[in-house]
Each structure stands twice: as structure tokens, then as C-alpha cells.
């Protein structure tokens, strides 16, 4: 059963409600994290809390709880959850305010944490690879909304995902205003070409994904050449391999984009990195008592 924590305490699901005057609801004014736990232990908790802190700081959103308090709250929520593996959503909104957008009218930020079962990627997609399109809608330019801020504003990404669904695809790749690849609608993008692993730099419009960071480290530890460099759709169309990364999906191989088949899916390099990534999760979230 879902576990909900609201402003300092675990509450029954039906009591886990926010005000219709909350600026998170009215304007998407807030930040969040999507976090995964395995074996009752969070994977890369510090990285998620740091990103949350930075997102809030960038928006001058005062966090009413310290990162230590939030870490304890997450532990409490996981303890109350019925499964050892699951997903945590941690949200901080600007809080209740008047009807204008002015954030300085809001009193205290609203903080909530939800533990829920993972919406797993279908086994067939995980095994055979995802089908992608390049969305026509572009990623909001970083001069308008810094992509490193994990904010509650996802309309841009939602519209890209809708394009994918209308085209019977699994996911959409978003380009920035210069036609360079930014990221997926809720994931980061990697390709492999001539044994070089490449991912777009965050300056091209990507969120600094926690999984992306881990994959970059794993690839380097495996001795692979890893580059953060600008990519265009041509680079994916002609890639040897392509895969997506995100907290929920972990790593997802790509089999097709805009009707072009990716040469290898799942490719050898993907499989090496995936095994390295899984090994790391198992080591970092192993039971303390075995
Ligand atoms: N980009 C966007 C826009 C996302 O929403 C996410 C997932 N929250 C990611 C990338 C992947 O980030 P992470 O690996 O931290 O889940």
C-alpha cells in the first residue's frame, strides 16, 4: 500500500491532500525528486537530496526541512512500506498563497513524500528495446528554464511524450532550439558509435540525471571511452547502439527511432554497462546484516 508523508508526518492516503491555493497546484511552482530504493535502501540518496537542494536554491524556495530531516523521513516512509523495493516521490511546493503568481505571498512550502510500487517498463520493451521518435516540440531553452532544475513544470516533456504515444512509440527524444539532442521526455540519452559512448552535455538541455552520472562513471571504470558531446538526430540514426537512462527504468535499450533500426539492440556495450550498473546497485544496497 502507498505510504504518504506530509509536512512532517506519515498520514493516511485520504488525508494526504494539498490546498487548491498551493502554488505547486496553481502554477507548477515547486521541485521534486524521483528516487528508487532496493532492499529497503535508497540508491544514491545523497545525490538526489543534493539535486533537490540545488533545484530549490535556484528557485529561491526555502526548504522547511533540512536534508538530514528529509533523509530520516524517507527512511521512515520506506520502513512503513510493505515492499523492500519501490519508488519514492519527494516534492516541495511553494506552498499556499494568494491567487497571483507572486511567490512571496506564499507562507510555508508544502513538503510531501510518497512511497509506491514501481511502474516497471514492460518486460517486452526491456528485452526488445524501445521505439522512439524525435518530437517536433523543442525542449524549453535553458535561458528560459534551466534544465538542471527538476521543477514541477513538465508540460514541455508531456507534450513530447504525447507525440510519441500518438505515433505508437514508447518515448520521444527532445531537441533543443538549435536542433541538438537534449534528452528524452523523462530520461537521458546515450549512444555508442565505433566503441565510443556519447551523451549530450547538460548545457544542451538535459537534466543532470543521477542515473546518467552513474552510467558515465561505470563506462569509464569499464575502460570505455566516454564523451559528453553535442549530438543530432543523425548521430542516433547512424549509431551502433542507443539507450536511455532514468531512476525508474534504469537502462533501456533502443531498437528504433523515426523508423530507422538501431544496428545492435541490446548491444554489447549496453550489456556491459548494464551489468556494471546492476552490480553497483547490488553492492550499494546490499543488506547490512548479511
Ligand atoms: N530527464 C528528465 C527530464 C527527467 O525527468 C528524468 C527523470 N526524473 C531524467 C532525465 C533522468 O534522471 P534520473 O536518472 O535522475 O532519474
Amino acid at each position: 500500500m502507498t505510504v504518504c508523508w506530509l509536512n512532517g508526518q506519515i498520514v493516511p492516503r485520504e488525508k494526504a491532500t494539498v490546498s487548491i491555493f498551493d502554488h505547486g497546484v496553481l502554477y507548477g511552482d515547486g521541485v521534486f525528486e524521483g528516487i528508487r530504493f532496493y532492499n529497503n535502501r535508497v540508491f544514491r540518496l545523497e545525490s538526489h537530496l543534493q539535486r533537490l537542494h540545488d533545484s530549490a536554491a535556484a528557485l529561491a524556495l526555502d526548504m522547511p526541512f533540512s536534508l538530514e530531516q528529509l533523509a530520516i523521513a524517507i527512511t521512515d516512509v520506506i520502513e512503513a512500506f510493505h515492499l523492500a523495493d519501490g519508488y519514492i516521490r519527494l516534492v516541495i511546493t511553494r506552498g499556499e498563497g494568494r491567487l497571483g503568481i507572486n511567490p512571496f505571498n506564499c507562507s510555508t512550502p508544502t513538503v510531501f513524500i510518497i512511497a509506491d510500487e514501481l511502474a516497471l517498463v514492460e518486460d517486452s520493451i526491456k528485452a526488445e528495446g524501445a521505439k522512439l521518435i524525435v518530437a517536433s516540440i523543442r525542449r524549453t531553452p535553458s535561458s528560459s528554464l534551466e534544465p538542471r532544475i527538476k521543477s514541477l513544470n513538465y508540460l514541455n516533456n508531456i507534450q513530447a511524450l504525447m507525440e510519441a504515444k500518438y505515433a505508437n512509440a514508447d518515448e520521444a527524444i527532445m531537441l533543443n532550439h538549435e536542433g541538438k539532442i537534449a534528452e528524452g521526455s523523462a530520461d537521458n540519452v546515450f549512444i555508442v558509435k565505433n566503441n565510443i559512448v556519447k551523451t549530450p552535455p547538460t548545457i544542451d538541455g538535459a537534466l543532470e540525471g543521477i542515473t546518467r552520472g552513474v552510467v558515465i562513471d561505470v563506462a569509464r571504470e569499464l575502460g570505455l571511452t566516454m564523451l559528453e558531446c553535442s549530438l543530432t538526430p543523425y548521430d542516433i540514426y547512424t549509431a551502433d547502439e542507443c539507450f536511455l537512462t532514468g531512476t525508474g527504468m534504469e537502462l533501456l535499450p533502443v531498437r528504433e527511432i523515426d523508423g530507422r533500426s538501431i544496428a545492435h539492440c541490446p548491444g554489447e556495450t549496453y550489456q556491459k554497462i548494464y551489468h556494471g550498473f546492476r552490480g553497483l546497485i547490488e553492492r550499494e544496497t546490499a543488506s547490512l546484516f548479511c
Side-chain angles (χ1 to χ4, degrees):
M1 231 190 358
T2 309
V3 177
C4 306
W5 181 102
L6 178 63
N7 297 325
Q9 52 190 342
I10 291 179
V11 292
R13 189 190 166 123
E14 52 294 352
K15 295 248 166 74
T17 53
V18 294
S19 162
I20 57 172
F21 295 97
D22 192 304
H23 280 209
V25 177
L26 288 172
Y27 303 115
D29 188 352
V31 296
F32 78 101
E33 278 299 313
I35 302 172
R36 197 155 164 182
F37 59 98
Y38 304 82
N39 201 20
N40 289 312
R41 297 179 69 183
V42 171
F43 181 60
R44 297 290 163 114
L45 179 61
E46 295 75 26
S47 308
H48 282 286
L49 289 176
Q50 189 59 49
R51 186 171 66 183
L52 182 80
H53 169 274
D54 293 349
S55 294
L59 295 174
L61 180 55
D62 287 333
M63 306 226 300
F65 296 94
S66 68
L67 296 187
E68 291 73 25
Q69 287 172 317
L70 290 177
I72 292 169
I74 289 171
T75 310
D76 293 345
V77 166
I78 291 175
E79 216 164 83
F81 192 60
H82 65 294
L83 295 174
D85 292 358
Y87 184 81
I88 294 276
R89 174 58 54 93
L90 167 52
V91 181
I92 306 184
T93 75
R94 189 74 66 177
E96 253 186 84
R98 312 240 331 249
L99 281 184
I101 63 167
N102 185 354
F104 303 113
N105 283 329
C106 299
S107 46
T108 319
T110 306
V111 184
F112 58 88
I113 302 171
I114 306 167
D116 205 353
E117 289 179 28
L118 263 169
L120 287 172
V121 178
E122 281 168 47
D123 285 344
S124 58
I125 300 179
K126 195 112 206 186
E128 287 157 29
K131 181 179 162 187
L132 310 185
I133 56 145
V134 174
S136 66
I137 191 155
R138 299 283 169 110
R139 190 81 173 89
T140 312
S142 50
S143 53
S144 303
L145 184 59
E146 167 61 59
R148 285 175 294 182
I149 299 176
K150 197 162 165 57
S151 81
L152 294 179
N153 278 269
Y154 262 61
L155 277 181
N156 186 214
N157 313 54
I158 288 166
Q159 289 179 84
L161 184 63
M162 282 165 63
E163 278 188 45
K165 297 295 175 191
Y166 288 140
N168 275 323
D170 304 304
E171 174 56 318
I173 295 295
M174 301 186 75
L175 307 180
N176 68 15
H177 59 292
E178 293 173 324
K180 292 174 182 163
I181 288 167
E183 58 182 344
S185 72
D187 37 73
N188 292 110
V189 184
F190 286 75
I191 64 162
V192 182
K193 181 73 174 176
N194 299 330
N195 292 319
I196 300 175
V197 187
K198 299 179 183 178
T199 193
T202 55
I203 198 159
D204 281 351
L207 177 77
E208 221 160 56
I210 307 296
T211 322
R212 173 185 182 276
V214 174
V215 162
I216 289 174
D217 290 346
V218 168
R220 292 200 169 124
E221 274 157 29
L222 287 169
L224 299 164
T225 307
M226 174 75 240
L227 293 182
E228 286 181 65
C229 59
S230 293
L231 300 171
T232 66
Y234 171 87
D235 293 304
I236 305 193
Y237 296 159
T238 59
D240 298 326
E241 301 179 32
C242 176
F243 58 93
L244 307 175
T245 66
T247 293
M249 67 169 56
E250 299 180 333
L251 275 63
L252 187 67
V254 173
R255 68 177 159 88
E256 185 187 317
I257 179 159
D258 284 346
R260 283 84 162 170
S261 295
I262 301 290
H264 304 282
C265 177
E268 245 177 62
T269 307
Y270 161 84
Q271 293 187 53
K272 269 192 219 161
I273 295 175
Y274 181 66
H275 286 119
F277 176 81
R278 287 294 319 171
L280 192 66
I281 289 176
E282 274 162 34
R283 284 195 300 283
E284 288 191 16
T285 61
S287 166
L288 292 172
F289 304 108
C290 65

